[in-house]
Amino acid sequence: MPFWKSIIYLLFISFSLSAQNHKTDSLKQELSSAESDSSKAEILCELALHYSRQQDTENSLKYANKALELSLKINFLLGAAKAYNIRGNLFSLMADNSEMLNNFIKAENLYQKIGHKKGLSETYINIAGVYHRTGKDSIALSYMDKSKKIAEELGDSLNIAILINAEGVIYHSSGNFKKALEKMLKAGEILEKLNNEFAKMNIYLSIGLSYFDLSDYSNSINYCNKCLEKSKKLGSLQYHIESLNCIIKSKINSKNMNPSSEVDSLIKLTDLTDEHTIRNTAFSVIKSYFESIGDYKKAYKYSLLH
């Protein structure tokens, strides 16, 4: 997962990823018994977020659209702003920068109108992500500054940590890996004090990838193993695969470690996801492993899959 994509994803997904089927049934039951339309809109947003945790983009977008339609119908501006932000992040996962920015700007306008500072701070981070992805870092930094001022005013430790991590991403994209790691470690210190397991999983991966870029494979493996354990606990297939990718690459580059068990696990996990980018990246890592041990027949097999 690209660095900035993982940062805005933090705002998109809450940290509770367990008991998925039970959660779906519970939310749908709440929806059917909700007495007010505004409550229904809130629950529709929760369903959209819930499906996104399962990488079910189709259902997530369906419920986000329903939440938006209902919120606009009853003039529930907070619900509409949330729905626009959810839609924007879904378009982020689809790599549709135009629709992503369009939805975030609409969310920004609504949060400004109702004076919802926390929502506005989060939306500024999302907008900064769009501009960073499109190579406009100066604009991205201006939105990050706006968000940081609000986050500090509200004492919002999670958003402060995300913003520090985002600064690290800017440094990373400019090739300053050492400064990037410094920022990410600082963000990690803040997140360790918070009860947000998803955020911790996310930052562990970011730090592990940064150590890899600095050729510090021991620390890279250490942090990616932390991410791996969190991903198993939280049931996040995407982070499970991403952490294995990093561990395998680090072990290959360290020359004296054998990642065969991680490769076996990664091969099994690729059958469980339909996300092409994730599968292709995993197949590339698997190919590199077989090349490193001289098994060119298997390396060729996996080169045809990505």
Side-chain angles (χ1 to χ4, degrees):
M1 176 183 290
F3 272 124
W4 195 280
K5 193 173 178 180
S6 70
I7 287 172
I8 61 175
Y9 201 60
L10 268 177
L11 297 174
F12 185 34
I13 308 295
S14 67
F15 60 87
S16 179
L17 300 174
S18 59
Q20 300 286 15
N21 291 331
H22 174 74
K23 181 71 170 177
T24 303
D25 294 339
S26 176
L27 284 171
K28 287 183 176 179
Q29 186 175 0
E30 287 181 38
L31 181 63
S32 64
S33 61
E35 296 183 358
S36 68
D37 284 339
S38 59
S39 294
K40 289 179 181 178
E42 291 276 11
I43 296 167
L44 286 168
C45 284
E46 284 300 315
L47 275 164
L49 287 169
H50 171 69
Y51 277 111
S52 72
R53 297 173 193 130
Q54 302 178 66
Q55 287 82 50
D56 188 343
T57 305
E58 182 179 353
N59 271 316
S60 183
L61 186 57
K62 180 180 79 172
Y63 281 101
N65 287 339
K66 286 184 176 182
L68 179 60
E69 182 181 2
L70 178 58
S71 296
L72 292 175
K73 180 181 177 181
I74 63 175
N75 200 34
F76 180 38
L77 300 187
L78 177 60
K82 288 180 179 179
Y84 276 128
N85 251 340
I86 294 169
R87 280 166 48 91
N89 276 294
L90 286 168
F91 285 117
S92 167
L93 300 177
M94 300 174 195
D96 189 335
N97 292 331
S98 177
E99 277 300 313
M100 180 170 40
L101 182 58
N102 180 46
N103 278 272
F104 289 151
I105 293 296
K106 288 180 178 179
E108 176 194 11
N109 291 337
L110 290 177
Y111 280 131
Q112 286 179 335
K113 188 172 184 178
I114 62 179
H116 196 287
K117 291 186 177 181
K118 182 173 175 60
L120 190 58
S121 177
E122 293 174 351
T123 304
Y124 283 153
I125 299 177
N126 288 338
I127 295 172
V130 182
Y131 283 115
H132 172 70
R133 286 168 57 139
T134 53
K136 300 175 181 177
D137 282 348
S138 61
I139 302 177
L141 287 168
S142 70
Y143 274 97
M144 286 166 56
D145 287 340
K146 290 181 182 181
S147 180
K148 193 172 183 179
K149 287 178 183 177
I150 297 174
E152 289 174 344
E153 179 184 338
L154 297 176
D156 188 343
S157 297
L158 176 59
N159 271 4
I160 291 171
I162 292 172
L163 283 159
I164 293 171
N165 195 14
E167 291 173 0
V169 171
I170 300 294
Y171 283 114
H172 187 275
S173 65
S174 66
N176 192 341
F177 300 142
K178 186 175 180 180
K179 190 68 175 180
L181 177 61
E182 178 185 314
K183 291 289 185 180
M184 291 171 185
L185 287 170
K186 185 176 180 181
E189 289 178 6
I190 296 172
L191 291 173
E192 287 292 351
K193 300 174 184 178
L194 303 181
N195 185 28
N196 192 319
E197 298 305 301
F198 182 88
K200 292 175 185 176
M201 176 179 67
N202 182 286
I203 197 68
Y204 290 155
L205 180 61
S206 292
I207 293 171
L209 291 169
S210 291
Y211 272 122
F212 178 84
D213 288 327
L214 289 166
S215 302
D216 187 340
Y217 303 122
S218 177
N219 273 315
S220 178
I221 292 169
N222 179 37
Y223 275 93
C224 285
N225 269 322
K226 288 183 178 183
C227 177
L228 181 64
E229 291 307 311
K230 291 289 184 188
S231 70
K232 291 178 180 178
K233 178 181 177 182
L234 299 175
S236 175
L237 177 61
Q238 183 168 352
Y239 277 84
H240 195 162
I241 291 174
E242 294 282 354
S243 55
L244 283 174
N245 285 341
C246 185
I247 292 168
I248 292 167
K249 291 191 297 181
S250 292
K251 286 191 173 184
I252 291 172
N253 280 278
S254 67
K255 307 297 184 184
N256 59 350
M257 296 183 182
N258 185 354
S260 59
S261 62
E262 287 88 358
V263 171
D264 289 341
S265 296
L266 185 58
I267 290 171
K268 293 175 183 177
L269 290 175
T270 56
D271 292 331
L272 302 179
T273 179
D274 295 324
E275 186 74 34
H276 294 300
T277 302
I278 295 174
R279 283 170 60 87
N280 288 343
T281 302
F283 289 145
S284 177
V285 171
I286 295 167
K287 176 182 76 76
S288 296
Y289 165 70
F290 284 120
E291 285 178 340
S292 73
I293 62 173
D295 191 337
Y296 299 109
K297 184 176 180 180
K298 286 187 178 179
Y300 178 69
K301 171 188 172 182
Y302 283 97
S303 72
L304 297 177
L305 295 176
H306 74 86

